[in-house]
Amino acid sequence: MNPHCTPAVRTTRSLLGYGVVAGPLFVVVALAQALTRDGFDLSKHAWSLLANGELGWIQITNFILTGLMTLAAAVGLRRALMSGRGRTWAPLLIAIYGLSVIGAGFFRADPAQGFPDGTPETTTISWHGMLHFMVGGVGFLCLIAACFVLASRFAGDGRHGLAWFSRITGVVFLAGFAGIASGSHGPTTLAFVAAVLTTWAWMTTVSVHLYRTAA
C-alpha cells in the first residue's frame, strides 16, 4: 500500500474523479438524444431544449447529475489546492457553476423553434424558461471566471500548458455564450456546442491533473 495515499488523499481523488467523468457523461447523453430524437437539429436547437417532450426527463436528469458531480469536483478542487493563488475563488466559482447546472434541470427551458415537433418557431417565455436562462447565465460567467483564476494559478506554478488551455477555454466559452445569448442560430449554435465541448474537456483535464498531484 502506498504510504502517501492517506484516507484524506483518497477522498480528494474520489471527489476529483467526478470532475473527470462529469463532462463526458453530459456530452454523451446529450449527443445521443440530439442525434436520435425526432425533430432535433444540432445546427439549430440548443441542448437545453431536450428537456422538453416525453423524453425530456432524460436531459433533466442529465443536468442534475452533472451539476452534482461538478459540485463534488469543486470540493475536491478546494481540498487539492492546499494553499496559494486561486484556492478560494476557483472552487467557489466552479461550485456556483455546478449549482447553475442543477438549476437548469429544475427550471426547464421553454419549447421553441419547432422542437418538440408541433412547437411554433416563436413562443412566449415562461417563468421557468426565464429562470433557466438566468441561472445558466450566472453559471456560465462563473465558469469563465474560474478559467482565468486557474490560468493565473497554473502560470504561477509553472504549468504553462494548463495556463494557456485555461485562458483559451475562457475566451472560447465567453465568445460562444455571447453568440448564443444574442439569439442568432445556425453557425452560432454550432459554435456554442464547440465551446461546451471545449469547456468540459478543460474540466476533465484540470481534474485529472489535480487527481495525479493530490497529496
Side-chain angles (χ1 to χ4, degrees):
M1 181 179 294
N2 186 347
H4 301 292
C5 191
T6 64
V9 171
R10 288 195 293 271
T11 299
T12 300
R13 288 178 174 174
S14 295
L15 292 166
L16 290 169
Y18 287 107
V20 175
V21 302
L25 173 67
F26 180 82
V27 170
V28 167
V29 173
L31 278 179
Q33 295 176 82
L35 296 173
T36 58
R37 290 188 60 180
D38 292 338
F40 192 89
D41 185 347
L42 271 170
S43 66
K44 178 181 179 181
H45 297 132
W47 289 359
S48 292
L49 295 181
L50 291 166
N52 294 288
E54 292 183 359
L55 297 177
W57 64 270
I58 298 175
Q59 186 64 359
I60 291 172
T61 303
N62 194 25
F63 275 127
I64 294 173
L65 287 180
T66 302
L68 289 172
M69 287 190 286
T70 302
L71 279 176
V75 176
L77 179 64
R78 173 77 166 129
R79 293 169 62 98
L81 301 179
M82 302 297 293
S83 61
R85 189 179 303 170
R87 181 175 186 261
T88 298
W89 279 105
L92 177 60
L93 291 166
I94 290 176
I96 295 173
Y97 173 65
L99 288 173
S100 79
V101 176
I102 295 172
F106 281 108
F107 304 119
R108 177 173 50 86
D110 292 310
Q113 302 171 276
F115 184 84
D117 284 338
T119 301
E121 283 293 319
T122 303
T123 57
T124 57
I125 300 177
S126 67
W127 65 269
H128 56 79
M130 180 59 69
L131 284 174
H132 179 91
F133 181 79
M134 291 174 62
V135 299
V138 170
F140 291 159
L141 291 175
C142 286
L143 181 60
I144 292 165
C147 288
F148 291 109
V149 169
L150 284 176
S152 178
R153 165 83 184 212
F154 292 140
D157 290 344
R159 304 282 182 174
H160 299 296
L162 279 173
W164 277 109
F165 188 19
S166 300
R167 295 187 191 106
I168 291 170
T169 300
V171 171
V172 167
F173 197 68
L174 177 60
F177 175 49
I180 203 74
S182 71
S184 58
H185 308 297
T188 301
T189 302
L190 291 175
F192 183 68
V193 170
V196 169
L197 296 175
T198 301
T199 303
W200 283 122
W202 172 79
M203 182 77 74
T204 296
T205 302
V206 169
S207 297
V208 168
H209 166 70
L210 293 174
Y211 181 96
R212 290 173 174 172
T213 57

